[in-house]
Amino acid sequence: MSAEYQVHGSVAVITLNNPPVNGLGLETRTAAVAGIRRAQLDAAVTAIVITGAGKAFSGGADIKEFNSPKALAEPTLHTLINVAEGSTKPVVAAIHSVCMGGGLELALGCNYRVAMPGAQIALPEVKLGLLPGAGGTQRLPRLLGLEMALNMVVSGTAIASERLAKTALFDEVFAPEANLLDAAIAFANKVADVRPLPRVRDRKVDYPNHEAFLQFTRNTVKAMAGAFPAPLECVETVAASVTKKFDDGLKFERERFLHLIQTPESKALRHAFFAERIASKVPDVPADTPTREIKKAAIIGAGTMGGGIAMNFVNAGIPVVLLETKQEALDKGIATIRKNYENTMKKGKLTPEKFEQRVALISGTLAYADIADADIVVEAVFEDMGVKEAVFKQLDAVMKSGAILASNTSTLDLDKIAGFTGRPQDVVGTHFFSPANVMKLLEIVRGKHTGKDVLATTLALSKKLRKTGVVSGVCDGFIGNRMIEQYSRQAGFLLEEGCLPEQVDKAVEKFGFAMGPFRMGDLAGNDIGWYIRKRRYVESPEITYSQTADLLCEMNRYGQKTGAGWYDYKAGDRKAYPSQEVNDMIVKHSADIGVERRKISDQEIVERLVYSLVNEGAQILDEGIAMRASDIDMVYLTGYGFPVFRGGPMFYADTVGLSNVLIAMEKYAAARHGDAWKPAPLMVRLAAEGKGFNG
């Protein structure tokens, strides 16, 4: 958790040691400063090497210290860099594997930098709504030049060290077979007597006609940054490396960093960053829980969802057997997968070799016996309990002992599905989102009897499949679809009261959603919601819905797949065109049910849609269906297009203030369909205590 000090001949070696990526936490900073000062006082030491243990030089700030007093405690990162830069003996940064953020800023404060090939070099702070705050925006341009440094800072993208070998950033990039420590010590001995010591701060940034270049960059970045202020602030701080003296540039950088850290956008991005990391942690499933080996997968159903799920496994190098009931459906499913990969290859995102490898991992069958040896089987058949029952009874009969039986159900009772087998401990929900090979979210449903090893295995598998796994308990719709139902109900009520689909969609898209509820319905298929509502009418007759969606489906307007939904569509064109036929139907329906249509503001639209999500999310938390509010936020950020810069519905409610959310809800509760606005007890309790969902 600190830094180790050793002397090799006349070279002191300080090894940062704070796994997993040598984050520059307080203990590590303290030990590193002590090491440099100790080397300064040792007459036998002529040079200093700073390197990192394990799998990184340094990944930057220690995320465990974010938002804690330790982050600002002395010695700060600024102090550590100043001590390294002020050393009277040369300091060499010996870089390998990962050198990012504050780690790179530390290296920039050293006199020399040497590296192994393949090291990932980046200043990724912009991805957290920030900018490099320890001199990165001022020192990097002095080594890479204005243009390259600006691109790195604004994008946050990592660049391999060998690509930077001919720049002034590195004094030497060693051969792949070199021993980093030995080579760095040899380099340190070579420069031990060189004076004056080179300092990055003493270099100049020379860029002819920089004013025109910077203005062009401002215009470009402003157009691309959207709601995020950090990219443009990055441009301005890097610009200061040209227009200001070094110390003035540092001061300006610090001012802009402190400004950004207080912005709601940065707070939202940092919330999402931590939320994604904590989502995989389940309190009663220890990190060392044994997991089952997943070497082969089977998918039941080769339709759009089954094919997409299969691609996830194939992309991770796991062979897949697709099972269908008819050869025609199987052939069509495999052909669609092949076509998807061909399209990716045509775009240059997949090599012909990778294409052949992936296609070779897919096979098909019509017989359950042929999937018996799979380590995991994912059912992706029609969302009907009778269909699920038939599938799981077959799986129970043929699958090998220890196989994981997973269901892609989006709403149905997983415990009931598990009850169709004699091994409920092996059953888990794996709710992929469409398109399954693209969407990042994997809602992992933990049944009453799901084994801890099965849950741990599925969470580990989600990472291998490059998904964000979020655990949900069992309820109708789990986290995501249970909440979206309330959102959809409000969208329907808005139509009855005075809105048209385009107004609702535009209002919520202006708020930041990737897609409004009606465009989303057309994309997913309006018949899916219709089928679920029909089940609700029988099982939960007390829940009211707008009839507009049912009337739409009775017109056979199921969405993009039929060329007509809430909107009209043209052949080969996914653009949504307002439909006069649908708008007439909506207006007529309002008249038929005796509702006088009124003008509805965008603010009301957004509040009703978003606060309906928040209220149901609070109920889900209270029931223990979700473990934490941040898990709900991850579901909506990665699966439902909630705006990232708002941090998810629960975080957004915290930003607004729960008492303010309740005031708005009370207003809507006094109007039509007010029964939908009964506040969740948890929200009432937290508001009374002046707290938020996220603490």
Side-chain angles (χ1 to χ4, degrees):
M1 293 292 289
S2 60
E4 298 158 2
Y5 183 90
Q6 292 180 319
V7 176
H8 295 255
S10 61
V11 177
V13 176
I14 299 167
T15 305
L16 308 174
N17 191 0
N18 182 11
V21 294
N22 299 322
L24 296 169
L26 179 59
E27 288 181 39
T28 305
R29 299 193 303 268
T30 301
V33 167
I36 296 170
R37 287 177 173 156
R38 180 176 172 183
Q40 295 274 67
L41 296 172
D42 188 343
V45 170
T46 59
I48 303 163
V49 168
I50 300 177
T51 192
K55 298 178 180 180
F57 172 76
S58 172
D62 189 335
I63 62 170
K64 295 188 290 292
E65 290 185 4
F66 270 39
N67 305 321
S68 78
K70 283 188 174 182
L72 299 175
E74 287 290 350
T76 64
L77 178 56
H78 288 273
T79 301
L80 171 57
I81 293 170
N82 288 339
V83 169
E85 191 174 56
S87 171
T88 57
K89 299 174 182 179
V91 181
V92 180
I95 294 164
H96 67 95
S97 307
V98 174
C99 180
M100 295 186 181
L104 178 54
E105 288 178 301
L106 171 59
L108 293 171
C110 296
N111 305 111
Y112 300 96
R113 286 151 301 282
V114 296
M116 293 298 293
Q120 296 297 298
I121 312 299
L123 289 172
E125 288 83 354
V126 71
K127 295 180 179 180
L128 294 180
L130 299 170
L131 53 80
T137 66
Q138 302 308 296
R139 290 187 176 92
L140 194 64
R142 286 171 159 80
L143 293 173
L144 293 185
L146 179 63
E147 192 168 345
M148 182 179 281
L150 195 53
N151 287 338
M152 282 186 68
V153 174
V154 170
S155 71
T157 304
I159 298 179
S161 52
E162 60 269 27
R163 286 183 54 199
L164 300 168
K166 293 183 180 179
T167 70
L169 178 62
F170 292 122
D171 297 280
E172 193 169 343
V173 174
F174 302 129
E177 65 274 11
N179 177 285
L180 174 62
L181 186 57
D182 290 346
I185 290 170
F187 180 89
N189 281 320
K190 187 170 67 175
V191 300
D193 297 326
V194 174
R195 296 294 184 279
L197 293 173
R199 299 190 307 173
V200 175
R201 66 182 292 140
D202 297 331
R203 301 173 69 106
K204 301 291 183 196
V205 183
D206 185 22
Y207 196 94
N209 198 17
H210 62 266
E211 295 93 344
F213 169 71
L214 288 169
Q215 191 54 50
F216 170 78
T217 304
R218 287 185 188 100
N219 295 340
T220 304
V221 171
K222 187 175 183 179
M224 296 176 63
F228 296 100
L232 206 53
E233 292 281 10
C234 287
V235 175
E236 298 305 335
T237 49
V238 173
S241 69
V242 188
T243 60
K244 297 179 184 290
K245 294 179 181 178
F246 182 80
D247 286 327
D248 291 338
L250 276 186
K251 183 181 177 184
F252 181 70
E253 176 194 79
R254 190 66 183 161
E255 288 172 358
R256 302 326 296 160
F257 177 86
L258 292 174
H259 163 71
L260 283 175
I261 207 167
Q262 295 301 323
T263 60
E265 294 83 4
S266 177
K267 289 177 180 177
L269 287 171
R270 283 179 279 143
H271 168 73
F273 178 83
F274 289 112
E276 185 168 9
R277 279 146 188 78
I278 201 172
S280 62
K281 293 175 172 57
V282 181
D284 67 329
V285 181
D288 60 355
T289 300
T291 57
R292 301 186 188 184
E293 199 169 33
I294 305 294
K295 285 187 172 180
K296 183 178 180 181
I299 312 294
I300 312 298
T304 302
M305 182 58 75
I309 294 170
M311 290 177 71
N312 285 296
F313 284 93
V314 168
N315 293 346
I318 300 171
V320 170
V321 181
L322 277 167
L323 185 145
E324 260 294 352
T325 55
K326 294 181 180 178
Q327 189 66 46
E328 182 183 0
L330 181 61
D331 292 343
K332 183 181 178 183
I334 292 176
T336 299
I337 294 172
R338 186 181 183 92
K339 186 178 179 182
N340 286 340
Y341 281 132
E342 285 173 348
N343 290 338
T344 306
M345 186 169 60
K346 286 175 185 174
K347 293 175 185 175
K349 296 179 180 179
L350 190 69
T351 64
E353 294 76 23
K354 287 279 186 184
F355 169 80
E356 294 298 339
Q357 287 172 14
R358 291 185 184 182
V359 170
L361 290 173
I362 305 165
S363 59
T365 184
L366 303 178
Y368 273 85
D370 292 340
I371 66 168
D373 62 339
D375 301 301
I376 185 170
V377 55
V378 182
E379 161 274 308
V381 300
F382 191 66
E383 189 75 342
D384 177 87
M385 190 60 82
V387 178
K388 307 283 188 190
E389 179 178 3
V391 168
F392 273 83
K393 283 183 174 178
Q394 284 267 39
L395 294 178
D396 190 38
V398 304
M399 298 305 295
K400 70 179 182 181
S401 175
I404 293 175
L405 313 184
S407 174
N408 183 55
T409 179
S410 57
T411 57
L412 299 177
D413 186 339
L414 186 79
D415 289 329
K416 191 171 182 180
I417 292 172
F420 299 140
T421 77
R423 39 173 136 176
Q425 74 281 359
D426 293 335
V427 177
V428 68
T430 51
H431 179 207
F432 290 82
F433 284 69
S434 185
N437 56 308
V438 175
M439 295 298 285
K440 198 176 177 186
L441 177 63
L442 177 61
E443 205 173 26
I444 300 170
V445 185
R446 182 182 191 178
K448 184 164 54 176
H449 300 292
T450 302
K452 291 183 180 180
D453 62 331
V454 170
L455 190 61
T457 302
T458 310
L459 280 163
L461 178 64
S462 70
K463 292 180 180 177
K464 190 168 185 179
L465 300 183
R466 296 188 175 181
K467 301 289 184 187
T468 299
V470 179
V471 176
S472 170
V474 175
C475 67
D476 198 332
F478 315 123
I479 296 172
N481 281 341
R482 175 171 161 181
M483 289 170 63
I484 207 71
E485 183 170 12
Q486 301 308 317
Y487 173 92
S488 299
R489 285 179 74 207
Q490 287 301 317
F493 296 153
L494 285 163
L495 293 186
E496 291 182 349
E497 294 167 33
C499 290
L500 294 175
E502 187 180 22
Q503 183 195 355
V504 176
D505 284 349
K506 280 187 174 179
V508 81
E509 287 163 13
K510 186 178 178 182
F511 175 79
F513 270 86
M515 195 176 289
F518 299 108
R519 286 180 59 213
M520 181 179 72
D522 279 358
L523 179 63
N526 295 308
D527 52 325
I528 296 171
W530 193 27
Y531 182 83
I532 293 170
R533 284 192 305 280
K534 287 177 180 177
R535 178 165 64 85
R536 296 275 197 276
Y537 295 152
V538 176
E539 297 175 358
S540 307
E542 73 283 359
I543 301 177
T544 54
Y545 296 89
S546 166
Q547 296 300 303
T548 49
D550 292 353
L551 293 171
L552 184 82
C553 290
E554 287 169 10
M555 296 161 68
N556 296 317
R557 297 182 69 103
Y558 296 151
Q560 289 187 17
K561 61 187 174 185
T562 58
W566 292 106
Y567 297 91
D568 291 333
Y569 298 91
K570 298 175 182 177
D573 182 1
R574 289 179 175 248
K575 184 180 177 183
Y577 295 89
S579 168
Q580 190 61 50
E581 182 184 12
V582 171
N583 292 349
D584 290 344
M585 176 271 287
I586 292 168
V587 172
K588 181 179 183 299
H589 178 64
S590 298
D592 289 345
I593 60 175
V595 174
E596 185 177 344
R597 294 177 68 80
R598 63 184 175 88
K599 187 174 182 180
I600 298 176
S601 70
D602 286 359
Q603 180 181 346
E604 179 179 340
I605 292 169
V606 169
E607 285 185 350
R608 285 174 63 175
L609 293 180
V610 175
Y611 293 169
S612 66
L613 291 176
V614 171
N615 194 41
E616 194 67 19
Q619 192 62 45
I620 284 170
L621 270 178
D622 224 2
E623 294 172 14
I625 299 300
M627 290 184 289
R628 47 187 85 88
S630 62
D631 286 354
I632 294 174
D633 287 334
M634 284 315 300
V635 166
Y636 270 80
L637 291 172
T638 58
Y640 291 86
F642 198 94
V644 177
F645 65 89
R646 299 195 189 275
M650 312 312 279
F651 182 84
Y652 176 71
D654 288 348
T655 304
V656 172
L658 298 193
S659 58
N660 292 325
V661 175
L662 284 172
I663 289 169
M665 287 175 57
E666 286 170 7
K667 178 177 67 177
Y668 300 129
R672 189 170 178 272
H673 289 304
D675 57 317
W677 292 104
K678 183 180 178 182
L682 175 63
M683 184 152 55
V684 175
R685 291 198 305 271
L686 290 173
E689 296 168 7
K691 295 179 180 177
F693 293 118
N694 290 283

